[in-house]
Amino acid sequence: MAGKFITLEGGEGAGKSTQARLLAVALEQMGVSVIVTREPGGTSAAEAIRALLLDPEGEGWSPEAEVLLFAAARADHVERVIRPALEKGKWVLCDRFVDSTRAYQGGEGGVSDADVLSLHRIGSQGLLPDLTLLIEAGDSDTAERLRARDGDNSDRIGGRAKAFHEAVARRFADIAENEPERFVRIDGSGTPEEVHGRIMAAVHDRLGPVG
Ligand code: T5A
């Protein structure tokens, strides 16, 4: 596959979507053909699964059912959008991917990392990004950003307890430390432009000259 696959990971409000957009603009200015997509979602079927998973009024799912739904949404997304784009030489920027399942449903979420990765192998042929940017912003920064944007409205997973989100952050950090060849940890504090500067430095460092 000729294109590059970059994922952005981190907790709610870390700035993933903002940074995906800024990175896409910068890459396009360098002559790279880019698509920006997200998980759960990215295809009509996967967006339907997203609605089932995140509906704050929904009954909720067992950890096992939840992990299967994320894997099913991802399988469709990989088959219909991500692989075809990479095969055409496009760069794919994806807001969350399998590492979110490992961090949220794995560990504290109740499903083993080995099981999450097995489902990923079955559903998505184990596709892994060329580069994963883990954006880490402090609790006070993210709480303020989310309050300003969402008020009291959060989705079913985003609305879980603080301890759950702290465990997710630790789990992301552990995964990144164990897979240093794929991950770069990005300081998510400061202005969006400052974070973008750190991301561009990481992309050049890991993927070489662009364009
Ligand atoms: N989930 C997902 C799982 O449990 N398992 C999985 O496998 C997957 C794929 C998805 C939910 O599903 C869970 C995780 C999530 O709970 P989502 O809405 O797609 O939900 O994801 P969130 O991470 O919740 O999305 P957010 O939009 O809340 O976070 P982002 O994308 O990290 O943040 P962003 O860029 O939208 O920024 C948030 C706000 O802050 C501002 C932005 O303008 C925006 O208003 N902002 C900044 N403000 C000041 N300084 C900066 N540097 C800023 N950067 C952004």
Side-chain angles (χ1 to χ4, degrees):
M1 282 188 285
K4 297 283 184 205
F5 183 24
I6 301 177
T7 55
L8 296 96
E9 297 281 9
E12 279 82 356
K16 300 175 298 298
S17 317
T18 304
Q19 293 305 324
R21 285 193 295 273
L22 291 174
L23 179 56
V25 169
L27 290 171
E28 277 163 359
Q29 283 169 353
M30 288 184 253
V32 177
S33 177
V34 180
I35 67 161
V36 179
T37 186
R38 69 164 182 184
E39 291 207 347
T43 66
S44 54
E47 291 289 337
I49 295 176
R50 177 188 177 93
L52 292 173
L53 278 162
L54 300 184
D55 178 3
E57 309 297 328
E59 286 179 359
W61 302 91
S62 69
E64 294 76 16
E66 198 171 87
V67 87
L68 289 166
L69 286 168
F70 278 113
R74 183 162 301 126
D76 195 56
H77 189 204
V78 166
E79 186 193 335
R80 292 178 195 274
V81 173
I82 297 176
R83 274 194 193 280
L86 292 172
E87 278 160 10
K88 286 187 197 133
K90 293 179 192 285
W91 286 39
V92 177
L93 310 185
C94 190
D95 184 346
R96 297 192 181 278
F97 194 61
V98 68
D99 298 304
S100 277
T101 312
R102 299 172 73 191
Y104 283 80
Q105 282 69 45
E108 302 283 317
V111 180
S112 77
D113 195 48
D115 282 349
V116 173
L117 292 173
S118 291
L119 288 174
H120 188 54
R121 184 175 44 74
I122 294 164
S124 303
Q125 299 82 45
L127 178 69
L128 288 177
D130 298 292
L131 173 64
T132 297
L133 302 161
L134 173 59
I135 304 178
E136 297 174 300
D139 277 356
S140 56
D141 278 348
T142 56
E144 197 176 307
R145 291 176 195 174
L146 293 176
R147 225 181 354 261
R149 190 189 63 183
D150 303 336
D152 290 334
N153 300 319
S154 52
D155 62 47
R156 206 176 54 72
I157 294 176
R160 287 179 188 171
K162 186 163 178 270
F164 174 81
H165 292 290
E166 287 169 352
V168 166
R170 283 196 300 276
R171 182 102 189 98
F172 269 131
D174 286 347
I175 298 168
E177 289 304 304
N178 286 329
E179 297 176 41
E181 65 295 338
R182 175 162 69 85
F183 273 86
V184 178
R185 295 175 74 174
I186 301 289
D187 174 3
S189 65
T191 65
E193 291 70 29
E194 285 168 336
V195 181
H196 174 64
R198 294 174 200 132
I199 285 182
M200 290 309 293
V203 169
H204 286 301
D205 180 46
R206 292 303 181 93
L207 301 181
V210 176

